[in-house]
Amino acid sequence: MTKKSTVKLAPPQVAQVMPRARVQAMKEYHPPLGCRDALRLDFNENTVACSPKVREILGSISAGSITRYPERAPVESIVAAHLGLAPAQVALTNGVDEAIHVLFEAFLEDGDELLLPVPTYTMYEVYASATDARVIAVQAADDLQFPFERLLAAITPRTKIIAIANPNSPSGSVATRAQLLEIASRAPHAVLLVDEAYFHFHGETIVDLIGAIPNLMMARTFSKAYGLAGLRLGLLAGPVDLMRWVKRVLSPYSVNSLALACLPPALADTAYLDWYVAEVLAARAEFEAALDDAGVHRWPSRANFVLVEIGAQHKEFTRLMSAAGVLVRDRSADPGCDGRVRITIGTREQMRQAAGALNEVLATLKITGGAQ
Amino acid sequence: MTKKSTVKLAPPQVAQVMPRARVQAMKEYHPPLGCRDALRLDFNENTVACSPKVREILGSISAGSITRYPERAPVESIVAAHLGLAPAQVALTNGVDEAIHVLFEAFLEDGDELLLPVPTYTMYEVYASATDARVIAVQAADDLQFPFERLLAAITPRTKIIAIANPNSPSGSVATRAQLLEIASRAPHAVLLVDEAYFHFHGETIVDLIGAIPNLMMARTFSKAYGLAGLRLGLLAGPVDLMRWVKRVLSPYSVNSLALACLPPALADTAYLDWYVAEVLAARAEFEAALDDAGVHRWPSRANFVLVEIGAQHKEFTRLMSAAGVLVRDRSADPGCDGRVRITIGTREQMRQAAGALNEVLATLKITGGAQ
C-alpha cells in the first residue's frame, strides 16, 4: 500500500484553460429547483395549470413535426398583433432570461454601465456580470419603493442600459408611467428596459409607447400568469432600430416548437387568464389580511407574491414552512432584504392553506405577532 | 409603426443607442425556414419522425406540470449515464447552438483566437463574432478533407478554442481520432471542441476521452438522428474543471420541460434510432450511386447529407429542385463552396424521389452529366 504522502503526481503537462476574467468573477446562480412536490409558493409561477387549450394542442403534435427546426416568425406575428406591435418590433425568446442575456450581450461594452435599482430580479446581475460592463446598483430605501430620484441621479454618460422590473421582485413595488417616461428622456443615450413579467397582476403597461420612444424596450414572460414556465417563453419588444441588433445575437431557433405551438391557444384563451388573475388578486387581498392579523410586516405588492418580514429566524421559517408542505423563498441574500421571505400568491384555497401553515410556524418559532 | 402615441416626442437630442462595435460588424444569419412543406433535404434533419415513444410521452404531460420551471438535473444524470460520463461533465443546452454560444461567451476574451477549419457549421463564426476574439479560418483544400497540417500550423499562444465539427458540414469529411488527439496535445492552452452532431452516421466518437484529456470537450445534438430538432436539445460535455465555467454562463432554465420529458424515451428507444441510421446509410449508398450515374461530382460523406458540385447554375438548380418538391441547400456562400449544394439523406424511398427530381432538373438545366 502506498502512503498518501508518497504519492507522486506527474507534473501537470499543460496549463489549465481558463475562462474570461469576468466569467471567473461571476456570481453562480443555483435556484433551489429540486424536490418541489408541495404547494409551490417559491418561484412566482402560476400555481394551478396553464389553459386547458394548451394541453389540448400538445395532444395534436405529430412525431413528424418534431423533426423540424422551429419556425418562430408566424408565432411572432400573432404575438405582435396581440400586443398591437409590428412583427419587427418583437422577438420571442427562450424565456425572458434569454431576452435579458441577448440584450445585454448586444449592447454592454467595456466601460458601459448597467443601472439597476435593487433589490430586483437576480438574472440582470448574472447576465451583466458576463459582459465587460459595470453594474451600478441603486439601493431602494427600507420601504423598498422604486428609488426614482436616486436612479435619476445615478445616470451618467456611461449609462448604457437601465433595467427596471415593473412590478419589481421581490418587493412587489412599481414605478409609475410618468417616472419611466422621465427616466427614458433623461437617459436618451441608454436603453430603458421595462420588464413587465408581472404585468397581468398590475394592469399597467408601457407597451403602447414601444416604437414611439426611441430608447424604450419591454420584456414580458409567459411563465407567470399564463402558467407556461416549463415552456420557456419570453418576449422582447422595442423600436426596430434596436431590435435588429438584438436579433443578430439571438439564435433563430432558440424557441422550441412545442412552445411555439402552445402560445397561440394560450393567448386566445383570455377567459382562463382573466379567471386566474382575478383569483390571485382576491387571494392576495385575503392573504395580506391574514398577514396583518398575524402581525407580520409586509410590503405592498402589485404582483402575484408578497414580501414579508420574518427577521433573524428566516432560514428556520423557510425550512418549517417547507416541512409543512408550503415552499416559500428566503430573499435574505438580496440587497437590503435580510430576514425577508417572498411568498407567491396562488388561489384563495391555496393561500388559506399557506396562512394556516404560516401561523403554525410563527407560533412554533415564537415570532412576535404569530398565531395567538 | 403600428402605434399611435399621445406622447409628443422632442426632436432627437442625442445619438441613437448603438450596440457593441462587434455586434455592429456581426454577420446576420437568416436560415431559409419558411414554406418547408416539401421533402426536407435542406437542414440535415431526420426526414421521417422521432421515436413514437416520444410522441406518447407528450400525451401524458399534465397542464399542471407545464406551470413549473424546468428541472434539468435529473435528465442530465440520465444522459450522462447513457454516455458513460458523470453528471458534472455534462450540460444539456437549448440546442447545440446554446452550447456553442455559452462556451464561446465563457472562454473567448479580447486578444484570443478561435481556430476554425472552414467550410464548417455557420454558427461557430456567428457566435464568435459576438465575442471580442478573432476568428482564424483555416481553409480546406478543394477536396474538402480535414486540413490537419494547416490547422496544426495555425495554432498560436493566442489560440483559445479550436472548433471541429466531426463529421463536418457541409463537406461530410472527418478528422481521425489520432488527428484530434494530436491537436489537443499541441494546443494544451486551448479548448478543443469536437462537435459530434452527426456522430450516429459516422460511428466514431471521442466521448470516451472526456475527462481524460484536460482540454477536450464534445458537443452533441438530438436534432439529427434522433429527430428532435423542434425540441432544441443539445449537449456539451467536458472535464468538470471546464464545465463549471460554462455552467456559470448557462441559464439554469434554458431547456424546456417538454424537451426534458421527451429525452429519456428517445434515448431508450435504441431500436428506432438504429433503424433510422441504417436506413439513412443504405439510402446514402444508393443516392451516391445515383449521383455517380448522373455524372455529378460529390464529396465522400460520413454524415446524413452529401455535398454535390452543381456549378454556375446552383441558384437555379436549388430553385427548380424546390419547385419539384425537394428542398436542398445551396452552400455557395460557404468559403470554398461556390457552386456546391448540400443534399440531406433521408430514407431510400425519399432519396429515389430526390434522385428523380435531380435528374430532371439537371436535364432541364443541360448540366453536363445530367439525366441521359
Side-chain angles (χ1 to χ4, degrees):
Chain A
M1 240 176 97
T2 315
K3 285 185 201 165
K4 260 186 192 168
S5 55
T6 62
V7 171
K8 276 266 163 86
L9 290 174
Q13 297 171 355
V14 293
Q16 197 189 331
V17 189
M18 291 302 285
R20 292 170 47 224
R22 286 298 300 252
V23 172
Q24 292 177 46
M26 255 181 101
K27 278 190 183 178
E28 297 205 45
Y29 178 58
H30 296 297
L33 278 171
C35 302
R36 295 183 67 228
D37 288 322
L39 179 52
R40 293 172 289 112
L41 305 183
D42 50 348
F43 276 84
N44 300 343
E45 297 152 315
N46 175 312
T47 59
V48 181
C50 60
S51 156
K53 306 286 185 195
V54 169
R55 179 65 199 76
E56 268 169 40
I57 209 105
L58 283 182
S60 74
I61 304 281
S62 74
S65 71
I66 293 174
T67 64
R68 294 181 177 221
Y69 280 94
E71 193 193 347
R72 72 154 59 111
V75 184
E76 274 177 350
S77 294
I78 291 170
V79 176
H82 181 86
L83 294 171
L85 298 172
Q89 294 177 311
V90 163
L92 284 172
T93 55
N94 185 40
V96 80
D97 283 2
E98 188 186 40
I100 298 165
H101 187 176
V102 294
L103 177 68
F104 287 12
E105 185 178 7
F107 282 91
L108 291 178
E109 193 97 71
D110 191 16
D112 288 343
E113 294 173 353
L114 169 74
L115 212 50
L116 206 58
V118 296
T120 191
Y121 181 47
T122 311
M123 296 309 285
Y124 302 130
E125 194 168 350
V126 171
Y127 284 121
S129 69
T131 73
D132 293 320
R134 275 213 309 157
V135 176
I136 307 294
V138 178
Q139 179 69 46
D142 206 50
D143 63 5
L144 297 184
Q145 290 305 291
F146 178 61
F148 176 58
E149 294 295 342
R150 260 180 282 180
L151 190 75
L152 285 181
I155 293 169
T156 76
R158 293 179 164 237
T159 306
K160 190 61 165 288
I161 298 182
I162 306 171
I164 298 176
N166 196 40
N168 188 33
S169 172
S171 63
S173 66
V174 290
T176 66
R177 184 180 177 92
Q179 288 173 329
L180 296 170
L181 282 168
E182 178 72 14
I183 293 163
S185 100
R186 294 273 285 273
H189 55 291
V191 171
L192 171 59
L193 173 70
V194 179
D195 182 346
E196 298 189 347
Y198 301 101
F199 153 71
H200 294 93
F201 308 104
H202 177 38
E204 289 182 23
T205 175
I206 50 78
V207 69
D208 55 300
L209 301 173
I210 293 298
I213 300 193
N215 61 331
L216 181 68
M217 300 186 85
M218 176 190 80
R220 288 274 181 95
T221 178
F222 297 90
S223 296
K224 308 298 180 186
Y226 284 102
L228 302 176
L231 298 190
R232 316 311 301 121
L233 272 167
L235 177 142
L236 190 67
V240 176
D241 280 348
L242 298 178
M243 290 303 294
R244 68 192 184 106
W245 302 117
V246 171
K247 289 184 179 193
R248 284 211 183 164
V249 180
L250 188 63
S251 163
Y253 310 120
S254 65
V255 182
N256 161 308
S257 62
L258 301 180
L260 291 173
C262 289
L263 188 50
L267 286 174
D269 195 355
T270 54
Y272 182 84
L273 186 73
D274 292 348
W275 166 78
Y276 185 75
V277 170
E279 179 61 34
V280 166
L281 295 184
R284 189 176 71 195
E286 264 196 34
F287 188 71
E288 286 178 337
L291 290 169
D292 294 346
D293 287 348
V296 176
H297 181 67
R298 63 175 173 84
W299 282 262
S301 171
R302 300 286 303 174
N304 68 334
F305 54 82
V306 60
L307 190 71
V308 300
E309 178 81 56
I310 296 299
Q313 297 185 82
H314 56 92
K315 276 190 187 163
E316 193 61 1
F317 172 83
T318 303
R319 198 186 64 74
L320 288 178
M321 286 292 283
S322 173
V326 182
L327 306 177
V328 298
R329 195 81 173 273
D330 189 350
R331 301 301 329 185
S332 289
D334 287 11
C337 290
D338 192 36
R340 295 165 187 180
V341 173
R342 192 188 66 193
I343 304 175
T344 301
I345 305 295
T347 63
R348 281 169 290 188
E349 191 184 335
Q350 290 172 329
M351 297 319 292
R352 284 168 203 153
Q353 180 194 336
L358 177 108
N359 280 319
E360 279 178 33
V361 171
L362 292 177
T364 303
L365 295 177
K366 300 190 170 44
I367 292 179
T368 312
Q372 337 279 284
Chain B
M1 295 297 114
T2 59
K3 298 301 305 170
K4 263 191 165 179
S5 175
T6 54
V7 173
K8 276 269 199 266
L9 290 176
Q13 297 165 3
V14 291
Q16 196 193 336
V17 189
M18 290 302 284
R20 292 169 48 222
R22 287 297 301 249
V23 172
Q24 292 177 45
M26 254 180 104
K27 278 190 184 178
E28 297 205 46
Y29 178 57
H30 297 297
L33 278 171
C35 303
R36 297 183 66 229
D37 288 322
L39 179 52
R40 292 173 289 112
L41 305 183
D42 50 348
F43 276 84
N44 300 343
E45 298 151 315
N46 175 312
T47 58
V48 180
C50 59
S51 156
K53 306 285 185 195
V54 169
R55 180 66 200 75
E56 269 170 39
I57 209 105
L58 283 181
S60 74
I61 303 282
S62 74
S65 71
I66 293 173
T67 64
R68 295 181 177 219
Y69 280 94
E71 193 192 349
R72 72 153 60 111
V75 184
E76 274 178 349
S77 293
I78 292 170
V79 176
H82 181 85
L83 295 172
L85 297 173
Q89 293 177 311
V90 163
L92 284 172
T93 55
N94 185 41
V96 81
D97 283 2
E98 187 184 42
I100 298 165
H101 186 176
V102 294
L103 177 68
F104 287 11
E105 185 179 5
F107 282 91
L108 291 178
E109 193 97 72
D110 191 14
D112 288 344
E113 294 173 353
L114 169 74
L115 212 50
L116 206 58
V118 297
T120 190
Y121 181 47
T122 310
M123 297 309 285
Y124 302 130
E125 194 168 353
V126 171
Y127 285 121
S129 70
T131 73
D132 293 320
R134 274 212 309 155
V135 176
I136 307 295
V138 178
Q139 179 69 47
D142 206 51
D143 63 4
L144 297 184
Q145 290 305 290
F146 177 60
F148 177 58
E149 294 296 343
R150 260 180 282 181
L151 190 75
L152 286 181
I155 293 169
T156 76
R158 292 177 166 239
T159 305
K160 191 62 165 289
I161 298 182
I162 305 170
I164 298 175
N166 196 41
N168 189 34
S169 173
S171 62
S173 66
V174 291
T176 67
R177 184 181 177 92
Q179 288 173 329
L180 295 170
L181 283 168
E182 179 70 14
I183 293 163
S185 98
R186 294 273 285 274
H189 55 291
V191 171
L192 171 59
L193 173 69
V194 180
D195 182 345
E196 298 188 349
Y198 302 101
F199 153 70
H200 294 93
F201 308 104
H202 177 38
E204 289 182 22
T205 175
I206 50 78
V207 69
D208 56 300
L209 300 173
I210 293 298
I213 299 192
N215 60 332
L216 181 67
M217 300 185 85
M218 177 191 78
R220 288 274 181 97
T221 178
F222 297 90
S223 297
K224 307 299 180 185
Y226 284 102
L228 302 175
L231 298 189
R232 316 310 304 121
L233 271 168
L235 177 143
L236 190 67
V240 176
D241 280 348
L242 298 178
M243 289 303 295
R244 67 192 184 104
W245 301 117
V246 171
K247 289 184 179 192
R248 283 211 182 163
V249 180
L250 188 63
S251 163
Y253 310 120
S254 64
V255 182
N256 161 307
S257 62
L258 301 180
L260 291 172
C262 289
L263 188 50
L267 286 174
D269 195 355
T270 53
Y272 182 83
L273 186 72
D274 292 346
W275 166 77
Y276 186 74
V277 170
E279 179 61 34
V280 166
L281 295 184
R284 191 176 69 194
E286 265 197 31
F287 188 71
E288 287 178 337
L291 289 169
D292 295 346
D293 286 349
V296 176
H297 181 67
R298 63 177 174 83
W299 282 261
S301 171
R302 300 287 302 175
N304 67 334
F305 54 82
V306 61
L307 190 71
V308 299
E309 178 80 58
I310 296 300
Q313 299 186 81
H314 56 90
K315 276 191 187 162
E316 193 61 1
F317 172 84
T318 303
R319 198 187 64 73
L320 287 178
M321 286 293 283
S322 173
V326 182
L327 306 176
V328 297
R329 195 81 173 274
D330 188 350
R331 303 298 330 181
S332 290
D334 288 12
C337 289
D338 191 37
R340 295 165 186 180
V341 172
R342 193 188 65 194
I343 303 175
T344 301
I345 305 295
T347 64
R348 282 169 290 187
E349 192 184 333
Q350 290 172 330
M351 297 319 291
R352 285 170 203 153
Q353 179 192 338
L358 176 108
N359 280 320
E360 279 178 35
V361 171
L362 292 177
T364 302
L365 295 177
K366 300 190 171 40
I367 293 179
T368 312
Q372 337 281 286

